[in-house]
Amino acid sequence: MTVADGRGERGRPPARQRADRSWDDGLIARRARSEAEDKARPQAAEHTGEAGRERSAAALGGALLQRLDALRELVGLSRARLDPGTLAEAGRVLEEAAARQRHALDVTVVAIAGSTGSGKSTLFNALARSQLSEAGVRRPTTAAAISCTWTDRADGLLDRMGIPPRCRRQPPRPYDPALSGLILLDLPDHDSAAPGHREQVDRLLGLVDAVIWVVDPEKYADAVLHERYLRPLAGYAEVTFVVLNQTDRLSPEAVDQVLDDLRRLLDEDGLALGEHGEPGAAVLALSALTGEGVGELRETLGQFAGRRCAAELRLAADVDGVSARLRSAYVAEGRPGLTDRARRDFEDRLAEAVGARASGLAAERMWRREAERACGTPWGRLRGWYGRIRSKDTAGGDTLAGAEGAPRRTASRPLVEQAVRVLAQQASDGLPGPWAQAVHEAAVRGARGLAEALDEVGAAGAPVPPAKGRWPGTGGRRTGVGRTRAGAAVRPVRPRWWAMAAIGQAVLLLTQLLGLAWLSGVLLGELGGPWWLPPVVSAGGGAGAPLLAWCCRVAARGPAKGYALETERRLRAGAAGCGRERVLEPVAAELLRYREVRAQYVIATGEG
C-alpha cells in the first residue's frame, strides 16, 4: 500500500452510519438462521453472484472523480513549475486509479501481510476453510502470493497484480455468501531473508484495496513493521485491519495487556483506530490455529466487502496522501499577490528613476524663463541674448559631440533594479518556493531592456520650450501641450498674451526713447514746452517696463505650474506603461497561474 501521511477522518457521515446499522441488523439476522436456511445458501450465493455481475460497471463516486480530475489538472498545470520528482507520486496515483477503474470496483481485494512466523498462511486457510496455502515451520513458507476468490470476476484484477494462474485458489463450494465479492491474498513475509520477497510485498501493497496486518505476541512491537509500514500508512486506517494472532499461547489477561499495548503503538504511529463506531483501523485478537476469533474476523471482512466501497476508500486515501505531501508546493502563507499599494510603489519608483519630478521642475523653470524672455524688459532680453551667445561659443564643441554620440541615459539603473526587486519580493512574499521563484524569474525577464525603454520615455518626454504660432500635433490649440501617437510630448504653443506683453514692452521702450529725444530737443532749444515733461515721459516708460515684466512673471506662474504637472504626469504615465508591459503583466500572469493550480489543489484535497 502506498506510503501516506496524516490520520484518517474520524467523523462518519450519517449515511455511512445508517449503512452500518443496517448491515449490523443483517448480520444479527444471519446469525439467527437455522440449519435449514444454511442449506439454501448455494442458491443465495448464485443470486449474489448475479447481482455482483450487474454491478461490474460500478463507477467511483462523483466527489472522488472530481478530486482525481482536479489532481490530473493540477499535475498538468504544474509540470513547467515543479520538478518531476515532486509530481512523480501524483502521477503514479493517477495511473493506479485509472488502472483500478478498468476493473470491477465492487470487488474487494484484501491482502494478508505480516512477518515471518506470524501465522499469515494459517489465518488465510482458516478464512478460506481449506488448506489452500502451505503453512509450516520452514521459513519462509510463502514464497509467492496466493489468492483465494469468492467471485467469478477476479481474473482481471489478479492479472493486474501479477498473480500467476498456478497461485490462484478458490474456496470449497458452496461459497460463503458473506464473503461474496472478496479476493484474499496471502503475501510473502515482509521481513523475509529470501531475495525478492520484500519487493513483491511492497508492490502488491500498492495495488490491493485493503490489508490485514498479522502480528504475534513476540514481534507485535517490531520497529521495522511500525516504521516501514504501519506509520506511513496512517492515512489508510479505514482499509487497514490489525490482527493479533496466536492468542492461544497467552492467558486472557495477557491478551488484554498485549492488545492495549498494541493499540498504544498504533496510536503513536498515527493510525486512527475504529473504536466507538468511528471509522478507522480494526484491531482484533484471534488464534488461527484453534479457530478462536476467526469467525469474528470473517464477519468483519464480509461486512467490509459487502459495502462495495473498499476500492473507493483506498483511492481516496491515495489522493489524501499525495495531497498532503504536495501541500508545501501549493499552499501559500498569507495572501500573496500584486496589491494596489505594490503597483503604486513600483510605478513611483520608476517615475523617480526616469526623473519625472525633476523634469517637472525643469519644465516649470523653462516656462517661466521663456515667459521672461517674451515679456521681460528689452534691456533684460538683450542681456540674456548676449549671455546665451557667449555660452554657446564656450560649450559649442561639447554640445556637438554629445549630440552626435550615443543616446543620453536618462533613467537611473540602480533605481530601476530596486523597483523590480522590491516588486518581485512583495508579489512573491508567502508563495511556495517554486512559484515564488517563477514570479522572480518573470520580473527579471521583464526587467531586461526596461532601463533602455525608460531612457526613450525620458528623452521623448523631456520639456521643450514653447514655440510661436501653431505646431503640428497641437490640434490648433494656442496653449497647452500636444501629444503624439506614441505618447511623447510635442512643443507647446506660446500663450497669446505673451505677444501682447511684448508689444507693451515695445511701446514702453518707444515712450522712454521718445522722452529722451524730447528732453534733448528742449535742452538744445529746438523743441518747446515745459522742461520737466520729457523727463516724466521717459521715466514713465522706464518704470512701466519692469512693472509690466513683474506682472507677466506673476501671471506666468500658473501656466508654468500646469506645464510642470503635465510634464511630470506624462513621464509618469510613460514609465508606468513600460513597467506594466514589461514587468507587471508577466508577474500578474504567474500569479494567475498559481491561483489556478491553487484552486485545483483545494478541489483535489476535498476541501473545496
Side-chain angles (χ1 to χ4, degrees):
M1 193 172 293
T2 308
V3 174
D5 296 327
R7 295 175 178 264
E9 296 180 356
R10 292 188 177 272
R12 185 186 293 268
R16 181 71 63 80
Q17 294 177 0
R18 291 194 297 269
D20 291 351
R21 287 195 296 267
S22 62
W23 179 265
D24 292 339
D25 293 341
L27 183 60
I28 294 173
R30 284 197 301 272
R31 287 176 175 175
R33 287 174 183 169
S34 62
E35 293 295 331
E37 291 173 335
D38 291 340
K39 295 180 180 179
R41 285 183 176 176
Q43 290 80 4
E46 182 178 357
H47 176 73
T48 304
E50 293 175 356
R53 282 190 293 272
E54 292 176 358
R55 295 195 53 186
S56 61
L60 294 176
L64 180 56
L65 283 177
Q66 187 179 20
R67 294 180 64 188
L68 288 170
D69 291 340
L71 183 61
R72 189 174 296 106
E73 186 73 14
L74 181 68
V75 172
L77 292 173
S78 305
R79 292 192 187 279
R81 299 293 179 270
L82 303 181
D83 61 276
T86 304
L87 300 173
E89 186 178 357
R92 188 200 59 77
V93 168
L94 291 172
E95 292 177 0
E96 293 298 334
R100 186 63 180 89
Q101 290 180 81
R102 287 193 289 268
H103 303 282
L105 295 173
D106 56 342
V107 173
T108 303
V109 183
V110 179
I112 301 179
S115 60
T116 303
S118 60
K120 302 187 312 324
S121 299
T122 304
L123 179 60
F124 178 81
N125 294 332
L127 291 173
R129 292 175 175 170
S130 179
Q131 290 296 118
L132 302 181
S133 180
E134 182 182 356
V137 296
R138 182 176 59 87
R139 300 290 181 265
T141 303
T142 305
I146 306 295
S147 69
C148 181
T149 60
W150 283 263
T151 177
D152 56 358
R153 294 176 294 146
D155 290 341
L157 286 167
L158 294 176
D159 291 340
R160 172 177 175 254
M161 291 182 289
I163 306 299
R166 60 182 175 81
C167 296
R168 302 178 185 182
R169 308 285 189 268
Q170 288 186 340
R173 295 180 181 271
Y175 290 163
D176 186 351
L179 301 181
S180 176
L182 176 66
I183 299 177
L184 197 62
L185 299 181
D186 181 19
L187 303 185
D189 302 333
H190 69 77
D191 59 350
S192 174
H197 284 195
R198 177 176 294 182
E199 289 77 7
Q200 186 179 174
V201 171
D202 293 343
R203 181 183 64 83
L204 289 173
L205 288 178
L207 300 175
V208 299
D209 300 326
V211 60
I212 300 174
W213 286 99
V214 181
V215 297
D216 60 74
E218 294 180 354
K219 294 192 293 184
Y220 72 91
D222 181 47
V224 174
L225 171 66
H226 287 271
E227 293 178 3
R228 179 176 173 84
Y229 294 103
L230 295 179
R231 189 169 300 165
L233 297 178
Y236 295 81
E238 289 192 77
V239 291
T240 302
F241 302 84
V242 181
V243 173
L244 176 63
N245 192 17
Q246 302 176 9
T247 57
D248 55 299
R249 299 166 50 189
L250 303 174
S251 64
E253 294 78 9
V255 170
D256 293 338
Q257 292 178 0
V258 172
L259 280 176
D260 290 341
D261 193 42
L262 177 59
R263 289 189 178 95
R264 179 187 60 81
L265 293 173
L266 294 176
D267 186 67
E268 292 178 356
D269 292 335
L271 195 66
L273 303 181
E275 299 176 339
H276 311 295
E278 297 177 348
V283 180
L284 301 92
L286 55 82
S287 173
L289 187 62
T290 64
E292 181 182 0
V294 175
E296 181 182 359
L297 176 60
R298 183 183 291 108
E299 291 175 355
T300 303
L301 278 178
Q303 178 182 357
F304 180 74
R307 292 174 184 168
R308 305 292 192 264
C309 62
E312 185 168 348
L313 290 175
R314 164 60 197 270
L315 292 177
D318 284 342
V319 178
D320 288 340
V322 73
S323 299
R325 283 183 289 280
L326 289 175
R327 183 177 182 82
S328 60
Y330 294 105
V331 177
E333 298 178 0
R335 298 178 63 85
L338 277 177
T339 62
D340 292 339
R341 181 176 180 179
R343 292 175 182 268
R344 288 194 301 269
D345 290 346
F346 178 67
E347 293 175 356
D348 289 344
R349 285 187 172 90
L350 292 186
E352 182 181 0
V354 82
R357 177 62 178 166
S359 295
L361 295 175
E364 182 178 3
R365 291 192 299 268
M366 178 182 292
W367 186 276
R368 296 177 68 172
R369 185 171 60 250
E370 291 298 320
E372 180 70 20
R373 291 175 182 174
C375 308
T377 62
W379 310 111
R381 293 166 62 186
L382 181 62
R383 186 171 59 252
W385 173 79
Y386 179 72
R388 289 194 299 273
I389 291 297
R390 290 195 60 182
S391 63
K392 286 183 180 179
D393 291 341
T394 303
D398 296 339
T399 304
L400 181 61
E404 293 178 354
R408 186 166 59 95
R409 294 172 57 155
T410 60
S412 171
R413 267 56 179 175
L415 289 178
V416 173
E417 294 175 359
Q418 181 189 22
V420 174
R421 183 172 59 253
V422 172
L423 175 75
Q425 181 63 37
Q426 291 176 341
S428 62
D429 187 25
L431 282 176
W435 303 101
Q437 181 181 357
V439 169
H440 278 278
E441 291 176 353
V444 171
R445 285 194 304 269
R448 296 170 186 165
L450 177 59
E452 289 73 13
L454 292 177
D455 288 341
E456 297 179 2
V457 169
V464 291
K468 298 179 180 179
R470 300 170 182 244
W471 195 268
T474 63
R477 293 175 294 174
R478 300 296 297 177
T479 60
V481 180
R483 190 184 304 277
T484 64
R485 187 161 31 181
V490 297
R491 190 182 301 273
V493 179
R494 293 187 178 190
R496 290 182 178 180
W497 63 267
W498 285 13
M500 298 175 61
I503 294 173
Q505 289 287 3
V507 170
L508 291 174
L509 176 62
L510 290 176
T511 301
Q512 186 179 5
L513 294 176
L514 180 61
L516 292 175
W518 188 4
L519 178 61
S520 298
V522 170
L523 294 177
L524 294 175
E526 297 180 359
L527 296 175
W531 64 269
W532 53 267
L533 185 58
V536 170
V537 172
S538 180
L547 179 61
L548 178 61
W550 179 81
C551 292
C552 291
R553 283 195 297 270
V554 173
R557 290 177 182 176
K561 191 68 174 178
Y563 183 44
L565 293 177
E566 173 64 18
T567 300
E568 183 178 353
R569 184 205 61 79
R570 185 174 61 251
L571 287 174
R572 280 181 172 273
C578 289
R580 182 167 51 252
E581 178 182 357
R582 293 175 175 268
V583 179
L584 287 179
E585 291 180 359
V587 168
E590 287 297 334
L591 292 173
L592 180 60
R593 293 189 185 96
Y594 168 72
R595 285 194 291 271
E596 290 176 354
V597 299
R598 178 70 171 85
Q600 295 299 326
Y601 174 77
V602 171
I603 298 174
T605 59
E607 299 175 0

